[in-house]
Amino acid sequence: MNILLQRSAAMLAELLNSYARSHPPRAIAVVGNAPMPPCAARSRAVDDADLVIRMTSFAVDPAALGTRTDVVVLHRGVIASPHTFADYKSRLYLLVEPGRLHWEPEAIPDWWPADLGFVPVPNHEFTVALNDLLGLDPAAPTWSTTGTMATYLATELFPGARVLLTGTSIVDTPDQTTFPHAWGDPVAVTAEHRLIAESTLLRSWESTGRIEILR
């Protein structure tokens, strides 16, 4: 990573660090949108983390996935849940924009809160690098799901932290054609994703201790 990319990553890490309970965060929970059965230990692990990252149309479920949210990672096509923008003034919002590398417009959706700012996740520092890890063709409009991107961000920005990933279904069922959600109806797996590649990468991270997956 060249000096400009290093500075960009350092600035993003410092921004996330400012929302954490401990500086730098020693434990980070990345919480996906998949429905999970009740589990007091899992819920407690999420809420005890120094930094809790959720995404897109997430649900808050005290019995299964905890209640805290410090950072929200989303994209322009998100279907907002009642939790997505709740208490938004106390959170950091990161906007992933992989489609900007291909065809996606810059315009912000008209339903976005007028007084809410956001921080773009730099494509060349993170999207392109993650696509390389996934073995994706850089010329094709393909990219990771938001959950895998959020996990990659956490591990790249805070390599010394314990990163807990939960609420994800693609690790164990990469052949799915729809995503079940803890809030709202299931959504179709869109053409830009390659879930088998993501599952393989996440499993490799689990096997090396880069992440822990809470099932």
Side-chain angles (χ1 to χ4, degrees):
M1 185 181 291
N2 66 37
I3 189 64
L4 291 178
L5 300 189
Q6 289 176 342
R7 288 176 179 172
S8 178
M11 290 173 63
L12 189 57
E14 186 57 35
L15 188 55
L16 268 71
N17 185 47
S18 68
Y19 284 81
R21 286 181 170 180
S22 176
H23 309 286
R26 295 161 298 183
I28 302 172
V30 179
V31 185
N33 294 338
M36 300 291 286
C39 176
R42 186 196 314 114
S43 183
R44 184 167 57 251
V46 170
D47 282 342
D48 285 348
D50 296 315
L51 187 70
V52 180
I53 303 173
R54 299 183 192 261
M55 60 211 66
T56 61
S57 52
F58 67 86
V60 172
D61 183 356
L65 292 171
T67 61
R68 286 183 46 228
T69 306
D70 302 308
V71 178
V72 180
V73 184
L74 37 69
H75 51 77
R76 285 181 170 80
V78 68
I79 299 173
S81 78
H83 307 281
T84 301
F85 293 113
D87 195 27
Y88 64 83
K89 294 182 179 181
S90 69
R91 301 169 176 168
L92 172 65
Y93 284 78
L94 300 179
L95 186 67
V96 294
E97 307 180 286
R100 294 289 305 283
L101 292 168
H102 302 281
W103 46 260
E104 191 173 55
E106 186 176 2
I108 296 300
D110 57 8
W111 43 257
W112 192 276
D115 60 344
L116 173 63
F118 64 88
V119 176
V121 174
N123 275 328
H124 291 288
E125 291 89 330
F126 297 102
T127 303
V128 172
L130 179 54
N131 284 353
D132 286 344
L133 292 177
L134 292 169
L136 303 182
D137 180 356
T142 53
W143 51 79
S144 79
T145 59
T146 307
T148 299
M149 171 55 77
T151 307
Y152 180 62
L153 282 172
T155 58
E156 284 291 294
L157 297 178
F158 302 102
R162 179 188 180 205
V163 176
L164 310 174
L165 173 62
T166 192
T168 181
S169 58
I170 66 174
V171 173
D172 298 319
T173 55
D175 56 346
Q176 64 189 291
T177 57
T178 60
F179 289 128
H181 274 189
W183 177 89
D185 297 329
V187 298
V189 176
T190 50
E192 64 267 16
H193 299 316
R194 300 293 182 267
L195 300 190
I196 292 176
E198 291 191 45
S199 175
T200 300
L201 183 63
L202 291 171
R203 283 177 176 272
S204 74
W205 288 350
E206 182 184 28
S207 69
T208 59
R210 178 168 176 161
I211 64 173
E212 298 174 39
I213 299 177
L214 304 181
R215 291 173 169 85

